[in-house]
Amino acid sequence: MLFTSFIFLFIFFPIVFCCYCITKKQWQNFFLLSASLLFYAWGESAHVVILIFSIIINYAIGIIVEKLHSSDSLSARFALVLGILANIFCLGYYKYVTFIVRSAIDALGIFGITCSPPSTAIPLPIGISFFTFKGLAYLIDIYRKQFSAQKNIIDFGMYLAFFPQLLAGPIARYQDFKKEISNRSVTLNNVALGLRLFSFGMAKKVLIANSVGTIADAVFALPAGSASLPLGWLGVTAYTLQIYFDFSGYSDMAIGLGAVLGFHFPENFNYPYIAASVKDFWHRWHITLGTWMKDYLFYPLSLSGWMNRFGRWGKKHLGKKMGRRLPICLANLVVFFVVGVWHGAAWKYIAYGIYNGVIIAFS
């Protein structure tokens, strides 16, 4: 169910909002969880089980990690690793197994070994990258003792499956969400602000992204070499505008829907196309993903023991200045490789990530 669909605009959300307003406070989270599961099941009926599985696993392991941390930090770390592996396995199976198998078959073909590729790809659950990253952040932050584990599975499930964020983010972390899990209210100001944000986001998506997307599709559908230089630039420009207004439009709609229901989500885009550099661009584009990568991948990598060993090697063989920069450069390359893979299971996304990582690592 898309935010711009007739059924969402005129049936689902109006009913959800009206029922939410008259529901007693102690039942509101249960109502929102039920509405979120229904929202997801509408278009992903077979995959709603995966979302429920993610809720149960992350909820249970979060409690286990917190309980073990007070008495046995090694066991807590082991439980955390199991939780991380469970999330990564779920994401990896549905998003990357088909790509890995087909890439392996292509690689074997280079050596004359022929294998039949899988006839169909594994269906990808919509939004799995978003709710998986939310679950990972939740478990890691509990291990870091940034907050206590949520003991109410309904409240936790509502956080992980909250329908405005389910399809395209932003990736709101639990610490941004936890105060409003039990203490929020629907106010006229928040409803007005939320509807205004939602309307702006919908205009970005429907009026701009869809319109320029039609131009981009028409240009890219031309046979290779048949487009003139101006037409080629028109297609590239149209596509550039399409991906921004599409993604930022959905983010604005999600933030607006959250505000209507009494939640406040972090900003996800900050005029990225006025960035002065590639580094500045990534500070402005998909901000919640960038922050996630910085806190849960870049800092742990750049400060890790094996990165320090690279730094000592660099100081010895490349000079002190390069030795100090080497762990940061390598961490950036790894981060942007993951960013590329996160965006899609294809070599073009890997190349895209590494390309940006090299620029930022050496800028």
Side-chain angles (χ1 to χ4, degrees):
M1 190 187 306
L2 300 177
F3 294 158
T4 56
S5 65
F6 178 90
I7 192 167
F8 180 85
L9 291 171
F10 299 105
I11 300 176
F12 178 82
F13 188 69
I15 292 175
V16 166
F17 179 68
C18 292
C19 293
Y20 175 75
C21 290
I22 62 175
T23 300
K24 291 184 178 180
K25 193 169 185 179
Q26 61 265 34
W27 292 101
Q28 284 183 337
N29 288 347
F30 177 78
F31 174 76
L32 286 179
L33 172 59
S34 302
S36 297
L37 293 176
L38 174 62
F39 172 85
Y40 194 76
W42 190 268
E44 294 285 310
S45 56
H47 291 147
V48 72
V49 176
I50 300 166
L51 178 57
I52 295 172
F53 171 80
S54 181
I55 291 170
I56 295 171
I57 288 295
N58 286 295
Y59 166 78
I61 292 181
I63 292 176
I64 293 170
V65 168
E66 181 182 55
K67 186 175 181 180
L68 291 175
H69 216 320
S70 59
S71 58
D72 188 350
S73 59
L74 184 61
S75 297
R77 185 177 299 181
F78 179 73
L80 173 65
V81 170
L82 285 181
I84 291 172
L85 290 177
N87 279 283
I88 292 176
F89 174 80
C90 189
L91 177 62
Y93 174 77
Y94 285 99
K95 193 166 184 177
Y96 304 111
V97 163
T98 301
F99 167 67
I100 292 171
V101 170
R102 288 178 175 172
S103 296
I105 290 172
D106 291 342
L108 291 173
I110 297 174
F111 300 99
I113 303 172
T114 58
C115 301
S116 299
S119 57
T120 58
I122 297 172
L124 178 64
I126 296 174
I128 190 171
S129 298
F130 291 95
F131 64 74
T132 298
F133 270 37
K134 287 171 71 175
L136 287 169
Y138 173 77
L139 295 180
I140 294 169
D141 284 344
I142 290 175
Y143 180 80
R144 292 174 175 176
K145 298 184 176 181
Q146 295 193 5
F147 48 76
S148 299
Q150 174 59 250
K151 304 304 190 297
N152 187 320
I153 193 170
I154 300 299
D155 292 350
F156 176 75
M158 190 272 290
Y159 154 70
L160 199 68
F162 193 42
F163 72 87
Q165 298 179 314
L166 198 50
L167 300 184
I171 306 172
R173 287 185 270 178
Y174 184 76
Q175 58 262 46
D176 301 324
F177 209 90
K178 64 186 179 98
K179 290 182 180 178
E180 292 170 338
I181 285 179
S182 56
N183 184 23
R184 63 182 184 274
S185 59
V186 176
T187 66
L188 187 59
N189 286 339
N190 281 340
V191 171
L193 172 64
L195 291 178
R196 185 163 68 248
L197 283 171
F198 183 87
S199 300
F200 287 157
M202 188 172 178
K204 284 182 179 181
K205 164 63 180 169
V206 175
L207 299 181
I208 303 178
N210 289 356
S211 299
V212 296
T214 302
I215 298 172
D217 292 343
V219 173
F220 293 154
L222 295 173
S226 64
S228 63
L229 183 61
L231 191 59
W233 275 110
L234 175 63
V236 170
T237 303
Y239 180 71
T240 302
L241 294 174
Q242 178 193 7
I243 58 173
Y244 168 68
F245 285 108
D246 191 300
F247 200 178
S248 69
Y250 261 102
S251 291
D252 289 346
M253 284 189 277
I255 294 170
L257 291 171
V260 169
L261 297 170
F263 295 89
H264 297 85
F265 299 152
E267 183 182 23
N268 210 26
F269 288 87
N270 183 23
Y271 303 104
Y273 289 160
I274 67 168
S277 64
V278 174
K279 184 180 291 187
D280 186 30
F281 172 84
W282 282 105
H283 288 154
R284 297 168 176 270
W285 178 276
H286 205 343
I287 297 169
T288 55
L289 175 64
T291 305
W292 195 101
M293 290 291 178
K294 179 181 68 177
D295 292 344
Y296 301 109
L297 196 55
F298 175 77
Y299 285 144
L301 273 176
S302 60
L303 299 174
S304 65
W306 65 279
M307 278 295 186
N308 288 332
R309 287 195 289 272
F310 275 113
R312 290 193 294 271
W313 180 89
K315 288 179 182 179
K316 182 178 179 180
H317 297 281
L318 303 174
K320 289 184 177 180
K321 184 177 180 181
M322 189 59 194
R324 287 193 298 268
R325 285 183 53 84
L326 189 59
I328 296 174
C329 292
L330 291 174
N332 270 313
L333 287 172
V334 173
V335 165
F336 276 91
F337 169 81
V338 174
V339 168
V341 171
W342 185 87
H343 277 87
W347 287 108
K348 62 183 179 181
Y349 294 112
I350 295 174
Y352 163 78
I354 293 174
Y355 172 77
N356 280 275
V358 169
I359 293 175
I360 290 176
F362 296 100
S363 61

